[in-house]
Every structure is written in C-alpha cells, then in structure tokens.
Amino acid sequence: MAKILILTIDDVDHILDLLEYNLEIGGYEVLRAETGEKGLAIMKTMQVDLVLLDYMLPGIDGIEVLKTMRSDPALTAMPVIMLTAKGEEIDKVLGLEMGADDYLSKPFGIRELLARVKALLRRSSLEKIESQPEDKNLVGDLLIYNTAREVTVDGNPITLSLKEFELLYLLASHRNRVFTREQLLELIWGYEYSGETRTVDVHVRNLRKKIEKDPDHPQYIQTVRGMGYKFV
C-alpha cells in the first residue's frame, strides 16, 4: 500500500532536511520544494496528501501559494499546515483566512508537528467520507444510512455503537480498499490510540457478529493477512 505523501515547501535546506528525516521516520513519504513555484508544479503532477508550507518564500510567498491552491478545483481541498518564523497574530489570521488548515510557528517541536500532521490527515479523511453524496450504502442484504446512522440487515435494524458504525461506514464506503489497523486507528479513534491495534480487531469481531450470517466465514469484512481489513 502506498505511503501517505507529504510535500514540504521551504527555502531553508536544514529545515527541509529536518522535516524530511522526521516525517520519514514517522512512516510518511516526503517530497521537498525550495520555492512556491516548484511546490505548485509538484502538486499538479503528484497525488499529495498534505502540504507543509513556509510563510516566507522567495518568489511567490506562502500566502500566494495558498491563494493559488484554493482557487484551483484540483487543489482546493488539499490539507495545508503553514510554517513561519513570524509570530505576529496578524500573520496567523491571514494564513487561516486564506485557507490554511493549521498553523505552526518556528521553532516548533517535532512531536507537536507530527501530532498536528496526524490530526489533520485524520480530519481530512473523515471529511472526504462525510462529503460523499450518497446517504445510503447498499451491499447485498446490508443497508447503511449515513445521516440517520442506522444499519439494517435483510430489512432488520441492528444496534451498533458509534465506533462500530464509523468503522463499518468507512470500510463500506471504500470497497475493496485495504486499510491497515494503524490507519483505522488514526481515522476512527485518533492518533492518541496509536499502537492499540487490538481495539480494531475487537470492533471488527463485534461487527461481524452483528452483520455477517456466518462470522467465522465473513461475506463483507474480510481479513487481509499481514495488512488489515477490507470490505467486499
């Protein structure tokens, strides 16, 4: 499975080195750009998942890059965290007004940066799911109503906890896509649950008991050995 791709845009080499090193240790794939122009060119040719954007750049600055992104239908929803050495409140307000999703002032701690990245990726993924136009998802005898948060099996309503529903809806909305346990933890429970992958297994087991005719031979939620789960 492809890693999450993060684009770092900064004109200071040692900051790019620092970001690249720590993000790669965190499990991300990293691209780097020294100018806003180069960063925009990368975004238009690569499927970037998140951008770390410096406020002060040579050529077009971070605000201009952000304006260009938010006016481009292909880039308008791309998550952006702005980085800056400037600490004035007006700079932060301007960045957020122009469409930045989060803001971090230099110098910053790597742990805080990674936490912000994880939180923003999780929020972005959930927003994509919830923005889907279909309110219901029908697979076989399983019917999922997103807005009403209701599920029926062969016409009979079943009771799910909030996390069980969110897990089922995520998997069913991305049929045949394999999610690792770590991805499901971040998307449904948040990064603070990192490492507690047994939580996912327990919820999957409970879901199978409620929606599968034979939980030992599941029709819907299938295990992909060595990776995680997928909905078929």
Side-chain angles (χ1 to χ4, degrees):
M1 178 177 292
K3 289 184 178 181
I4 292 173
L5 181 59
I6 296 178
L7 172 62
T8 60
I9 308 177
D10 199 298
D11 62 322
V12 180
D13 284 339
H14 79 267
I15 290 187
L16 288 173
D17 292 338
L18 177 70
L19 292 172
E20 183 175 14
Y21 175 76
N22 286 280
L23 289 169
E24 287 183 345
I25 286 179
Y28 302 107
E29 185 175 349
V30 181
L31 293 175
R32 50 196 286 171
E34 298 78 21
T35 66
E37 291 88 344
K38 183 178 178 181
L40 287 169
I42 290 174
M43 286 181 237
K44 292 179 180 179
T45 57
M46 303 286 290
Q47 186 62 47
V48 176
D49 296 294
L50 183 144
V51 178
L52 295 174
L53 175 62
D54 187 39
Y55 187 97
M56 299 296 292
L57 291 169
I60 60 173
D61 63 17
I63 291 297
E64 289 301 317
V65 172
L66 197 54
K67 285 182 181 178
T68 301
M69 292 176 64
R70 295 315 184 219
S71 64
D72 185 335
L75 304 176
T76 186
M78 189 176 292
V80 176
I81 298 178
M82 291 208 74
L83 308 176
T84 181
K86 303 178 73 174
E88 295 180 6
E89 186 67 22
I90 185 62
D91 296 325
K92 179 176 181 179
V93 171
L94 181 58
L96 295 175
E97 285 181 347
M98 289 298 103
D101 298 282
D102 203 351
Y103 192 99
L104 203 56
S105 296
K106 301 176 185 176
F108 49 80
I110 292 300
R111 291 183 64 182
E112 180 181 7
L113 173 67
L114 292 175
R116 298 280 188 98
V117 166
K118 287 184 177 182
L120 182 52
L121 286 169
R122 176 176 179 265
R123 188 167 76 240
S124 174
S125 297
L126 291 177
E127 286 173 353
K128 287 179 183 178
I129 293 169
E130 293 175 355
S131 67
Q132 292 182 0
E134 288 189 327
D135 180 56
K136 64 182 180 180
N137 205 329
L138 176 63
V139 187
D141 60 0
L142 179 65
L143 183 58
I144 306 168
Y145 291 95
N146 179 37
T147 304
R149 301 269 168 165
E150 294 177 354
V151 177
T152 64
V153 176
D154 200 19
N156 300 310
I158 62 173
T159 302
L160 299 180
S161 69
L162 174 61
K163 293 304 182 186
E164 287 172 349
F165 180 88
E166 290 179 346
L167 179 59
L168 175 62
Y169 184 73
L170 172 64
L171 292 170
S173 299
H174 298 79
R175 299 179 199 176
N176 296 310
R177 172 179 169 179
V178 179
F179 287 89
T180 66
R181 291 171 175 82
E182 289 76 14
Q183 287 175 320
L184 292 172
L185 273 175
E186 289 189 8
L187 289 168
I188 303 300
W189 285 270
Y191 64 86
E192 65 271 16
Y193 280 79
S194 179
E196 300 179 22
T197 55
R198 187 172 179 275
T199 298
V200 176
D201 296 329
V202 170
H203 280 74
V204 168
R205 184 167 64 248
N206 291 340
L207 270 176
R208 283 173 171 166
K209 291 178 181 178
K210 294 179 179 181
I211 69 173
E212 303 280 5
K213 292 181 178 179
D214 183 357
D216 294 327
H217 300 86
Q219 173 186 358
Y220 298 119
I221 302 177
Q222 296 190 357
T223 301
V224 181
R225 290 190 179 278
M227 297 187 68
Y229 298 100
K230 69 176 180 179
F231 189 98
V232 298

